[in-house]
């Protein structure tokens, strides 16, 4: 690999057992392009989820962080960042699916754009129940000036696709990279980073299938 890449993700008891298992499986298909996965167990989780983690460790370099209590998504993500060791960090939710070429795509984009931009993302395909139905595409603005101009009208990044330089996580006065605003932690992060002068870009490729509610 040209660059080392860490996946940061969390899981909690409210996540569906089967969806979580499928999410981990989608990472296995990408394993040749992933240095490590930093997974925070945010409070107690089911034995089924624990077994899925154990099974995944046979194929993945999975670093497991166990929290006795659920501390919220923002704080859990910040713990994952602190434990990650790669040049770039990749966000992934515990009930979505990576396409099989997602991390090869990420490596290529870092190689081409990594010196120009700090935060990169893509389009997503949303689906309800059946992942074969891929008709719902969430598009986001591509160029940085478009991302900035749309920031207060919409969330201009699909957070589950985002990958960013680990070095930008050190630029914090309060040692919390993700703002402590559960439910809006990603949007608040974009506002924070853009205000600090970091550069963003999206690509029109689809790299993640995202479950949405009915």
């Amino acid at each position: 690999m040209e660059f080392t890449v860490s996946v940061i993700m969390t899981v909690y008891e409210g996540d569906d057992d089967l969806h979580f298992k499928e999410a981990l499986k989608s990472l296995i298909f990408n394993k040749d392009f992933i240095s490590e996965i930093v997974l925070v167990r945010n409070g107690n989780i089911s034995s089924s989820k624990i077994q899925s983690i154990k099974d995944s460790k046979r194929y993945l370099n999975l670093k497991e962080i166990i929290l006795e209590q659920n501390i919220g998504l923002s704080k859990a993500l910040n713990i994952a960042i602190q434990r990650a060791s790669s040049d770039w960090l990749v966000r992934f939710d515990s009930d979505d699916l990576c396409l099989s070429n997602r991390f090869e795509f990420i490596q290529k984009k870092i190689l081409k754009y990594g010196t120009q931009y700090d935060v990169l993302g893509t389009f997503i395909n949303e689906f309800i129940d059946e992942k074969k139905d891929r008709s719902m595409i969430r598009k986001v603005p591509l160029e940085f000036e478009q991302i900035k101009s749309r920031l207060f009208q919409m969330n201009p990044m699909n957070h589950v696709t985002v990958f960013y330089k680990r070095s930008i996580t050190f630029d914090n006065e309060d040692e919390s990279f993700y703002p402590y605003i559960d439910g809006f932690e990603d949007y608040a992060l974009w506002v924070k980073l853009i205000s600090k002068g970091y550069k963003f870009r999206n690509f029109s490729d689809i790299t993640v299938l995202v479950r949405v509610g009915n």
Side-chain angles (χ1 to χ4, degrees), residues 8-9 23 28 41 64 72 82 95 131 146 159 162 173 180 183-184 190 194 198:
I8 56 169
M9 60 187 299
I28 293 172
R41 279 170 47 177
E64 188 179 7
Q82 291 167 10
D95 58 354
K131 56 179 176 288
Q146 296 174 314
H159 72 269
V162 162
E173 299 82 6
Y180 294 154
F184 296 93
W190 314 148
I194 287 175
Y198 291 110

Side-chain angles (χ1 to χ4, degrees), residues 141 145-156 187:
E145 291 304 320
Q146 296 174 314
I147 292 170
K148 279 203 305 184
S149 66
R150 299 291 298 278
L151 184 61
F152 294 104
Q153 301 168 357
M154 63 175 287
N155 189 336
Y187 181 77

Side-chain angles (χ1 to χ4, degrees), residues 100-118:
S100 59
N101 67 337
R102 181 188 180 192
F103 286 83
E104 182 179 11
F105 170 89
I106 285 173
Q107 288 283 341
K108 290 178 178 178
K109 294 306 180 186
I110 291 173
L111 183 62
K112 186 171 182 178
Y113 297 97
T115 58
Q116 305 170 54
Y117 298 96
D118 306 291

Side-chain angles (χ1 to χ4, degrees), residues 22 25 97 99 125-135 209-211:
E22 290 178 346
K25 185 177 179 180
L97 300 172
L99 294 188
N125 240 133
E126 297 177 326
F127 69 96
I128 300 170
D129 296 328
E130 284 296 327
K131 56 179 176 288
K132 293 178 182 177
D133 177 15
R134 300 183 184 179
S135 58
L209 305 182
V210 177
R211 296 180 194 276

Side-chain angles (χ1 to χ4, degrees), residues 4-29:
T4 54
V5 169
S6 294
V7 178
I8 56 169
M9 60 187 299
T10 71
V11 62
Y12 81 115
E13 182 50 30
D15 290 322
D16 181 275
D17 288 358
L18 179 58
H19 295 170
F20 177 56
K21 181 178 181 178
E22 290 178 346
L24 290 176
K25 185 177 179 180
S26 75
L27 289 174
I28 293 172
F29 292 132

Side-chain angles (χ1 to χ4, degrees), residues 46-71:
S46 66
S47 58
S48 175
K49 292 187 183 71
I50 293 172
Q51 187 61 50
S52 293
I53 294 170
K54 288 180 179 178
D55 293 342
S56 297
K57 286 181 177 179
R58 295 166 55 195
Y59 308 99
L60 299 168
N61 179 20
L62 195 153
K63 186 186 297 182
E64 188 179 7
I65 300 161
I66 302 173
L67 305 180
E68 292 185 2
Q69 295 183 328
N70 188 318
I71 61 173

Side-chain angles (χ1 to χ4, degrees), residues 78 81 118 164-179 189 192-199:
N78 285 329
I81 288 171
D118 306 291
Y164 50 82
K165 294 174 181 174
R166 180 168 170 264
S167 59
I168 71 175
T169 69
F170 305 144
D171 182 13
N172 297 286
E173 299 82 6
D174 56 2
E175 298 184 356
S176 60
F177 183 64
Y178 279 91
L189 179 61
K192 169 182 168 181
L193 293 179
I194 287 175
S195 69
K196 289 188 172 189
Y198 291 110
K199 298 293 191 295

